[in-house]
Amino acid sequence: MRIYRTDQFALPLPAGHRFPAEKYRLLAERVSAFAADRMETAPAATRGELLHAHHPDYVDAVLNGTLDAAGQREIGLPWSSELAERSRRSVGATVAASRAALLEGCGVNLAGGTHHAGPNRGSGFCVFNDIAVASMLMLAEGRVRRVLILDLDVHQGDGTAAIAAGEPRIFTFSMHGARNFPFNRVNSDWDIDLPDGTEDGDYLGALERALPDLFARARPDLVCYLAGADPYRGDRLGRLALSPQGLAERDGMVMDACRRRDAALVVTMAGGYAVPITDTVTIQAETVRLACEIFGADPTNR
């Protein structure tokens, strides 16, 4: 099992910016304590790879620094050459993790899950859509026949749904807060809206009921899992009320479902904005630890 990191690539932000960029470094440090031998620096996605999911004009605007002020405001991050490079690395990490998963059962990106980026725009702290690029690329290369994007970030995956809308070999599933961002949504193949304050029991029950039908409908060779930490009750952008134990149980349910059905699994971290941010780091480190436990012992025994 391979784990890809992007935290070495700077993401300069103005003082007081609300995006918690430090969580990536803290997470990599935490994961290195138990899986340092599995960690690698993320490669950078090429322009050609990005074009599998994004319009050339948008890709070039980001890469060349010509993205206008409105586009930067929609993303919520100021453009810089470092932002462009970091975004390429985040996509490259999911592409590399997908290839690793198809060989070894599971691959992990310690960033990624940037599901608000659409075909010709970024949004909600998402520049490029790593999951969509990787899914489209694995299909184009003939590595897989069908992909399931299983999005359990607390926010609905509008950008992913928009990119995958014309591709019947990708099945998009999103379970999220009903009253949370984005407010103008693009329908996934299957969306589950949850009320504010949803706790462990109701959340896990909804997921448990959905998983058998989801796998039956999607029939995936590859599952791209957005393991968002933002359904956590202490997340400042979440509005749901899961405990760390509930989130760990959620991750175990998804990983076990993939393992039992012999579907390769890519795990991305997606959102997490707890106060303190170390709560998010603890939740996401447990996601990675669990993946190592389930998939790491014997990669040939899938």
Side-chain angles (χ1 to χ4, degrees):
M1 194 183 92
R2 296 286 91 195
I3 301 168
Y4 296 90
R5 59 188 295 184
T6 63
D7 59 288
Q8 313 96 309
F9 302 94
L11 180 58
L13 296 172
H17 196 283
R18 66 176 183 158
F19 185 72
E22 71 273 19
K23 76 175 181 179
Y24 301 102
R25 174 184 57 81
L26 295 171
L27 178 59
E29 291 172 356
R30 191 79 63 88
V31 171
S32 68
F34 60 82
D37 60 329
R38 301 181 186 278
M39 296 174 68
E40 297 184 14
T41 298
T46 66
R47 179 180 181 275
E49 289 171 338
L50 295 171
L51 294 180
H52 281 272
H54 297 290
H55 192 281
D57 290 347
Y58 175 65
V59 171
D60 291 340
V62 173
L63 298 185
N64 299 331
T66 58
L67 186 65
D68 62 22
Q72 294 180 53
R73 283 195 301 272
E74 188 168 6
I75 293 170
L77 301 169
W79 186 90
S80 64
S81 59
E82 293 90 347
L83 174 68
E85 180 67 13
R86 177 76 170 257
S87 301
R88 290 175 63 217
R89 297 282 176 168
S90 185
V91 175
T94 298
V95 170
S98 298
R99 291 178 173 142
L102 291 166
L103 291 173
E104 302 179 358
C106 184
V108 176
N109 178 359
L110 294 182
T114 46
H115 59 168
H116 298 309
N120 59 1
R121 64 177 182 85
S123 177
F125 302 143
C126 303
V127 179
F128 298 127
N129 193 312
D130 61 300
I131 290 291
V133 170
S135 298
M136 292 289 197
L137 187 60
M138 294 304 103
L139 289 167
E141 292 178 348
R143 296 174 185 267
V144 298
R145 292 166 298 176
R146 293 181 63 85
V147 179
L148 167 60
I149 298 177
L150 203 167
D151 189 342
L152 298 184
D153 187 279
V154 81
H155 305 103
Q156 195 257 355
D158 59 327
T160 307
I163 292 169
E167 177 48 81
R169 295 173 295 175
I170 298 177
F171 192 98
T172 53
F173 173 86
S174 181
M175 190 166 84
H176 46 261
R179 298 178 62 241
N180 213 322
F181 181 88
F183 304 110
N184 296 313
R185 298 184 174 180
V186 179
N187 291 335
S188 308
D189 292 306
W190 187 357
D191 286 301
I192 296 178
D193 291 319
L194 299 171
D196 287 2
T198 296
E199 297 181 343
D200 291 354
D202 288 340
Y203 185 101
L204 295 172
L207 181 60
E208 184 176 26
R209 289 188 296 272
L211 282 173
D213 190 31
L214 178 58
F215 275 83
R217 293 170 65 181
R219 308 188 312 278
D221 305 305
L222 177 67
V223 176
C224 298
Y225 175 38
L226 284 73
D230 42 10
Y232 171 54
R233 63 193 174 204
D235 196 279
R236 60 190 170 89
L237 301 182
R239 304 177 73 108
L240 300 187
L242 271 69
S243 69
Q245 295 77 19
L247 287 163
E249 187 172 346
R250 174 202 70 173
D251 294 340
M253 289 171 63
V254 171
M255 293 175 193
D256 182 63
C258 292
R259 180 110 181 175
R260 286 188 288 107
R261 293 168 174 83
D262 198 32
L265 174 65
V266 178
V267 183
T268 65
M269 297 297 102
Y273 312 93
V275 179
I277 197 61
T278 49
D279 285 357
T280 292
V281 172
T282 297
I283 291 165
Q284 295 187 326
E286 178 60 17
T287 300
V288 180
R289 189 203 62 76
L290 189 60
C292 289
E293 178 181 305
I294 292 175
F295 291 93
D298 182 2
T300 65
N301 184 26
R302 289 176 50 199

